[in-house]
Structures are given as C-alpha cells and as structure tokens.
C-alpha cells in the first residue's frame, strides 16, 4: 500500500504497507505520535493518503460509497461525538442505519440486533439513559455496541479501552476477538496486544518497524528501542508473551536545590 500522510509537509505516516488477513486480530502499537491514529483513519477511509492506496476486496476504499463501506466496516474512534438528547438505545440504533432504506423504521430483526449489542457490552440496564448522564466508560461501551450493531466484516478500533476499568477492558477485547471478524485495533497496553492479537504491528515515527506474532515482535530489544523502557518478556509456546516492566532509574536529587 505504501501509505503516506503528511501534515505541514512532514510525514505522519511514512510509506506503510500492511495486509490485514481475513478474520485476524491485528494490533497496532507504538508511542504517542507514532502515526497509529492517522493510519487507522486512512484504513477506515476517513483520510485520503498523500501517497499509496487503501484497498478493500481489491477496490480502493475512497471509491466505495459511504453507505456500502459502512455495511462492511465499522470504526470506533478515540473521540466520537453523539447527539446529547439521544438515549443509550438510540445511540446503538444508529449502527443499523446503513442497512435501512431511507425513512424506513427498524424491523424486529433490527431491534433484536440492537438489544444483543447492548447486552454484549453490559449496557442493557442503561438503555433509556440519556447520553449526557453517562460516564466516559459507559459512552465508550455504547460506541462499541453501535459498531457491533452494524454487523461489519471488519472492525477498526482506535484505543477502544480508553476510559474503561480493567474488567471491561479485558471483556471488550475478548468480545471482539470472539466475533470471528477481522479486527484492527490501536492499543496502548502491550500486554493486551500480546494477549489478544494474532499479529502486532509496531509503529515508530510514522514507520512500520516490526510486524509479526506477539512473542516475535515484543522483544526486550524492540520495547527498549521503540518505547524507551526496560522490560522482561516471558514467551509462551503459543506465540504469545507476558511483559514485565523494570522500574525506571531516577536521577538523585540535587541536595542544594532540595535543601532550598
């Protein structure tokens, strides 16, 4: 694909080529500013690359009608807006829009899909709550439910565990993996990536610097070079791994300044 995107003449994503396999969970990891969100936006068709092409089923994404694309691909962004007067149920119902004819109401099947999506993210008790009354984590779970209600073949997630407690972080990642659909997720937590991803793509300064199974990619050397931390990695026979971080060394305080 050789995707390149520039801002102010500077490449934010620099000649990244990446094939996503049907049915796999691909995690994008990298430090802040490494280009993950921009790459996600190009994969989802929200941003047009300055060079290279994003293709779906061999067709350039920018050439696919938005309604048709929404039937195949769902995106959950880090910061996604929603109308303030909507209830939780109405937010998730928006996921059915690509499948409806203009001005047609939701069918019984649509309502069942919405109910199942709400239940999947543990938000059924909040069905009639208004959007402004919900916490950040509850809103994030609704955005996930809305994406599931689209019934996409491909689910693209940009930091989906933001605002979620540990229970819902793990539950969400297990949920999307269990669906058997193609998942591309930008993640901050390297252990989450190692637990759930089939492959991990490491971004650094806009470039793709590593791609492969978790245990092959998340080595102590790669973590030190890309993330600037020391780590101990325990690899397992199934290609996954567990990462333990070393406490960073701190410089001793200046006794003169400390006394003052």
């Amino acid at each position: 694909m050789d995707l390149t995107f520039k801002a102010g003449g500077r490449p934010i994503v620099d000649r990244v080529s990446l094939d996503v396999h049907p049915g796999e969970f691909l995690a994008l990891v990298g430090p802040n500013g490494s280009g993950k969100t921009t790459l996600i936006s190009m994969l989802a068709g929200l941003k047009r690359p300055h060079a290279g092409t994003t293709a779906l089923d061999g067709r350039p994404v920018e050439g696919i009608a938005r309604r048709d694309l929404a039937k195949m691909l769902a995106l959950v962004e880090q910061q996604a807006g929603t109308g303030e007067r909507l209830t939780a149920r109405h937010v998730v119902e928006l996921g059915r829009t690509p499948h409806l004819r203009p001005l047609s109401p939701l069918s019984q099947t649509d309502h069942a899909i919405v109910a199942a999506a709400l239940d999947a993210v543990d938000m059924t008790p909040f069905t009639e709550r208004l959007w402004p009354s919900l916490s950040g984590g509850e809103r994030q779970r609704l955005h996930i439910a809305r994406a599931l209600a689209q019934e996409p073949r491909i689910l693209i997630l940009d930091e989906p565990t933001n605002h979620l407690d540990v229970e819902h972080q793990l539950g969400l990642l297990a949920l999307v993996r269990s669906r058997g659909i193609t998942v591309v997720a930008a993640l901050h937590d390297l252990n989450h990536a190692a637990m759930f991803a089939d492959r991990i793509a490491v971004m650094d300064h806009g470039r793709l610097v590593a791609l492969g199974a978790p245990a092959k990619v998340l080595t102590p050397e790669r973590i030190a070079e890309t993330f600037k931390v020391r780590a101990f990695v325990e690899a397992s026979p199934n290609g996954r791994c567990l990462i333990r971080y070393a406490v960073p060394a701190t410089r001793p305080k200046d006794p003169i300044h400390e006394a003052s």
Side-chain angles (χ1 to χ4, degrees):
M1 295 186 295
D2 281 337
L3 291 175
T4 296
F5 187 89
K6 298 181 179 180
R10 183 176 67 88
I12 305 300
V13 172
D14 189 7
R15 292 170 293 173
V16 170
S17 293
L18 185 66
D19 288 325
V20 183
H21 304 155
E24 81 167 329
F25 190 129
L26 176 69
L28 296 177
V29 302
N32 288 339
S34 60
K36 300 189 302 295
T37 293
T38 300
L39 179 59
I40 285 279
S41 296
M42 288 191 287
L43 294 177
L46 294 183
K47 289 183 176 178
R48 179 170 293 195
H50 291 100
T53 302
T54 304
L56 177 59
D57 294 337
R59 301 166 57 193
V61 168
E62 58 265 27
I64 303 175
R66 300 305 302 179
R67 186 183 187 89
D68 293 335
L69 185 61
K71 292 178 181 178
M72 298 183 283
L73 181 152
L75 169 67
V76 177
E77 301 176 79
Q78 287 188 50
Q79 302 292 335
T82 299
E84 290 193 355
R85 300 309 301 171
L86 295 179
T87 65
R89 176 171 53 82
H90 289 144
V91 169
V92 181
E93 286 176 352
L94 293 173
R96 298 304 300 161
T97 302
H99 302 277
L100 301 176
R101 293 180 178 179
L103 303 179
S104 63
L106 271 67
S107 67
Q108 288 186 340
T109 298
D110 293 319
H111 284 299
I113 291 170
V114 169
L118 282 162
D119 184 63
V121 298
D122 199 24
M123 286 295 288
T124 300
F126 300 81
T127 299
E128 300 307 321
R129 288 270 298 274
L130 290 174
W131 180 259
S133 70
L134 299 171
S135 69
E138 290 160 353
R139 294 180 183 187
Q140 185 73 351
R141 284 151 61 193
L142 285 180
H143 285 310
I144 299 294
R146 179 169 62 185
L148 294 177
Q150 283 180 235
E151 295 190 309
R153 289 168 32 208
I154 302 170
L155 183 59
I156 299 181
L157 308 168
D158 190 6
E159 303 295 353
T161 55
N162 277 359
H163 309 296
L164 300 181
D165 56 36
V166 174
E167 176 189 4
H168 288 104
Q169 288 177 16
L170 297 176
L172 165 66
L173 295 172
L175 169 66
V176 297
R177 180 174 174 81
S178 71
R179 291 291 169 122
I181 61 177
T182 304
V183 178
V184 179
L187 299 173
H188 262 311
D189 192 312
L190 298 184
N191 275 310
H192 285 173
M195 288 172 65
F196 294 100
D198 299 299
R199 291 191 300 157
I200 296 175
V202 182
M203 297 284 294
D204 192 12
H205 293 93
R207 302 296 301 274
L208 179 64
V209 297
L211 175 65
K216 290 187 177 182
V217 169
L218 297 179
T219 62
E221 294 78 15
R222 171 57 59 193
I223 293 171
E225 181 176 349
T226 301
F227 298 93
K228 313 305 180 191
V229 295
R230 289 196 307 120
F232 306 94
V233 180
E234 299 175 12
S236 59
N238 63 2
R240 302 196 178 279
C241 57
L242 175 66
I243 301 162
R244 294 183 293 113
Y245 298 103
V247 177
T250 57
R251 291 183 298 177
K253 294 182 179 180
D254 186 337
I256 297 177
H257 288 90
E258 186 176 11
S260 60

